[in-house]
Amino acid sequence: MKLTQTLTAVATAGAMALMMSTAASAVTLQLHNGGDPGTLDPHKASGDWENRVIGDYIEGLVTEDAAAQPIAGQAESWEISEDGKVYTFHLRDGIQWTDGEPVTAEDFVYAFQRLFNPATAADYAYLQFPILNAEAINSGEITDFDELGVKAIDDKTLEITLSASTPYFLDALTHYTAYPVPKHLVEEIGDDWTKVENIVANGPYKIVEWLPGSYVRSEKNEDYYDAANVQIDEVYYHVLEDQAAALNRYRAGEFDILTDFPADQYQWLQDNLPGEAHVVPFLGVYYYVMNQEEGEVLSDVRIREALSITVLRDVIGPDILGTGELPAYGWVPPGTNNYVEDAYAPEWASEPYEERVARAVELMTEAGYGPDKPLTLQLRYNTNDNHQRIAVALAAMWEPLGVKIELFNAETAVHYDALRSGDFQVGRAGWLLDYNDPSNTLDLLKTGTNQAGTMNWGNNYGRYSNEEFDGLLEQAANELDLTARGQLLADAEKIAMDEFAAIPIYWYVSKDVVSPKISGFQENAKNIFRTRWLSKSE
Amino acid sequence: MLAYAFRRVLSAIPIALIAVTICFFILRLAPGGPFDGERALPPTVLANLRAHYNLDQPLVVQYFIYVWRLIQGDLGPSMVIDGFRVSDLIRIGFPFTLTMALSAFVIATLVGIVAGMVAAVNQNKWPDYVLVLIVMIGVVVPNFLNAALLQLWFGVHLGWLPAGGWVSGSIAHLVLPVTVLAWPHAARISRLMRGSMIEVLGTNYVRTARAKGLRERLVLVRHAIKPALLPVVSYLGPGLSYLLTGSLAVEQIFGLPGIGKYFVTAALNRDYGIVLGTTILYMFIILALNLIVDLVYAWLDPKVRYH
């Protein structure tokens, strides 16, 4: 009897909980967000899964429209000085944090100072380095934060001074590193301000729950200036890294949007859920780095050339991955703003493959290698099915050159540790653009800087170094004319690619699946779709 | 028996300390660190982060700092999940994992014992064959495949149950994960029970009981079940440990906020504090479970008490 009663009570409680959850989710967006957010603090975030959450609850001076183009955010308007160095922003009236405190220009000043404060240890502070003295403050050279080029003229007016005219600066301001933080709260409780019980918002949503490993939940912020046009009342940002399981849950109707799916399911999606899979070019390059440090075998440009020209890129996107990623021969993704019209296209790309292989064999012979004296190279990649497939395919492509590849896979932390410390010969890497400008990828090939006797190569894992290339980037940074700047950067790209500084393999694509119930989703090269522009029909 | 239990608990302390020490140094010797991601951090940022978490100190100093804090009950912060301490994550994840593991444990034990008995009593008849088949599927098919198949059938095609996720208080969300978790254990228990029961049913004292005219059901209940349970009981401790530690695949596939998921994610991210914290937690659970099993075993088999 007791057992029956207990079972009945449990079943009733379960049913009630289900009913309550259903009732509360009248207009709820169930978003498959992938990885587990490591933080909700805009100064400490680093992944697109964090960007999706943070960009919904905090808004910067500038924000993104449905197509991810910069539009007015907390600032309703701005002026730019003639030399392109001084931006004056005018904040909207009535903007406030969810605890009722107004959002002021001082919040932005404080946020930028916090971002560049070395003690904050903000991973991505460098994205705002165009701001005057930002880099010097971040490196500890300047300790007086008042020297930063961000000033509050009054509560409603903010002035940002750059060290050089930067054509992509408005785009960079849409990045979470440029978001304000509530000065009153951070000063009071420090980093605890992002704990769910303390957190405040100035964006269209406010965070109400964070269950690590499962989801973050936010609700519509009724105090947001555009709240009347925000259609979704509640958002679940689900953590689920297993893409097959995520697709099952999408099919079961539990997710409205998938932000990734298994590449081998693309055809199935097209056949069974036509129009729901959105695979579009994404600003990013997938590439292999080659260790070019002095004494390393790959410092010989002939071998680098032989390896690069024998990569049959055309088969990778359509056949090996199955999602049609476009072959990459250059370093700047197509569609990047502020760039020349014609993408870098080496002559060898249009040659018949057999001719390329024949020339590569000659180059290897010149370098002293061939079938009789094979070159053994270790190829490192981080554990992932797609990386493995590509590595195996490339190893086969290089076999006719007398190159024997030893595959070595490791988890992400170990892999990148090896790349950074130069403990590799050939390694997989990828770069997704943080802001829409060619300098964001070209900077990856800049010569490292000597810091206290140690070379810091940053993200230039291959240690590529060319003075002319560096000089062109320097010139471009000070060039006001956008066309001339684009040409300088294109010249730099040509130098690096002609020297086979790395092996670009394909341009990334974004892979979203969007339920027909969702409206307002617009494909774009940044793959940013803020919830405020979406709506959902039942 | 109380003194025995006390001695066992005391002896666990040095074992725990040795395990923590080994785990600490192995973890630190592994290549890669908590701040090694796809993008290089500026040197000043990296230096600040390392200093904040004492990673700039010599390894031995770090070890003593860790142990000193541990003695005070502080498992330290997560280095990857900002704003969460290890204890916060254990508080969130462990009850969940425990609920799932205990539910699976109870179900697996009951189903396994009953199925094993039914199979043994009907040896080489159709109920035995059917049960052996189900058991084989449970043992042979890996968790992640079972999970995906059940997700497809019951979540996608039939729509009877949620295909994943977690809604606080919802039993429906637990049905599939618990089934996937319990199945292989129920299978193992039923195999153990079947074999053990067949053996017991062939013993002299059971034959004597039958010869005395005792009904078959009473033979089973009074004379066969208790001794047949011994191998099953030996399995229950490790079995519960497996359920607690082995729920990872299930937590991953169903997107559940369990501690197994935190552990593996932390190990991959080199989030030292979480890996050590969860290891310590599991170590204590395993030690405690072994102790409980030994005590239960002694209760079931008086011979053990005297040895």
Side-chain angles (χ1 to χ4, degrees), chain A residues 450-467:
Chain A
N450 198 318
Q451 288 168 336
T454 311
M455 276 300 277
N456 172 30
W457 287 95
N459 293 306
N460 181 359
Y461 307 126
R463 279 91 166 124
Y464 171 72
S465 178
N466 180 304
E467 273 182 33

Side-chain angles (χ1 to χ4, degrees), chain A residues 10 38-39 118 123-124 138 195 210-213 240 245 248-249 254 411 414 416-417 420 432 434 451 456 459 461, chain B residues 31-32 37-41 43-44 48 80-84 92 151 156 162-165 171 252-253 261-262 270:
Chain A
V10 167
T39 182
D123 297 9
Y124 277 39
N138 194 231
K195 288 195 166 175
W210 180 9
L211 191 59
L240 188 54
N248 278 345
R249 293 187 63 189
E254 291 171 17
E411 65 251 51
V414 177
Y416 281 96
D417 182 43
R420 259 189 282 285
L432 304 177
D434 304 299
Q451 288 168 336
N456 172 30
N459 293 306
Y461 307 126
Chain B
E38 287 205 352
R39 298 185 177 198
L41 294 180
T44 44
N48 278 315
V80 177
I81 307 179
D82 185 41
F84 282 85
I92 295 169
Q151 225 177 19
V156 178
I171 290 171
Q252 290 278 20
I253 292 173
K261 188 176 177 182
Y262 295 156
R270 301 287 189 269

Side-chain angles (χ1 to χ4, degrees), chain B residues 220-239:
Chain B
L220 282 177
V221 173
R222 282 196 196 157
H223 299 287
I225 291 181
K226 204 171 160 185
L229 276 174
L230 281 173
V232 173
V233 170
S234 318
Y235 172 78
L236 292 183

Side-chain angles (χ1 to χ4, degrees), chain B residues 16-76:
Chain B
L17 194 64
I18 291 167
V20 168
T21 307
I22 293 171
C23 192
F24 181 91
F25 284 102
I26 286 179
L27 200 57
R28 294 301 166 97
L29 290 174
F35 312 117
D36 285 319
E38 287 205 352
R39 298 185 177 198
L41 294 180
T44 44
V45 170
L46 190 60
N48 278 315
L49 283 170
R50 290 178 60 81
H52 182 73
Y53 293 107
N54 294 316
L55 297 176
D56 55 346
Q57 303 281 338
L59 201 55
V60 177
V61 177
Q62 290 181 46
Y63 170 73
F64 282 112
I65 292 174
Y66 186 79
V67 172
W68 176 241
R69 286 185 181 163
L70 189 64
I71 291 166
Q72 296 168 314
D74 180 7
L75 291 169

Side-chain angles (χ1 to χ4, degrees), chain A residues 288 306-307 310-312 315-316 320 353 357 377 379 388-407:
Chain A
Y288 274 15
L307 293 180
T310 46
V311 174
L312 191 52
V315 303
I316 290 172
I320 295 172
Y353 186 65
V357 174
L377 291 173
L379 193 164
Q388 187 178 25
R389 278 184 218 159
I390 292 171
V392 169
L394 262 62
M397 291 172 196
W398 289 335
E399 215 177 301
L401 311 181
V403 175
K404 287 185 177 170
I405 292 293
E406 286 173 0
L407 297 179

Side-chain angles (χ1 to χ4, degrees), chain A residues 275-328:
Chain A
E276 293 182 35
H278 296 255
V279 175
V280 294
F282 187 35
L283 293 179
V285 58
Y286 184 103
Y287 63 101
Y288 274 15
V289 277
M290 296 172 283
N291 193 340
Q292 295 156 59
E293 214 159 7
E294 218 177 294
E296 292 283 342
V297 68
L298 289 167
S299 61
D300 186 334
V301 69
R302 292 169 300 188
I303 303 178
R304 300 205 301 269
E305 179 175 354
L307 293 180
S308 185
I309 64 177
T310 46
V311 174
L312 191 52
R313 292 160 173 84
D314 294 336
V315 303
I316 290 172
D319 301 325
I320 295 172
L321 299 175
T323 22
E325 280 80 353
L326 292 171

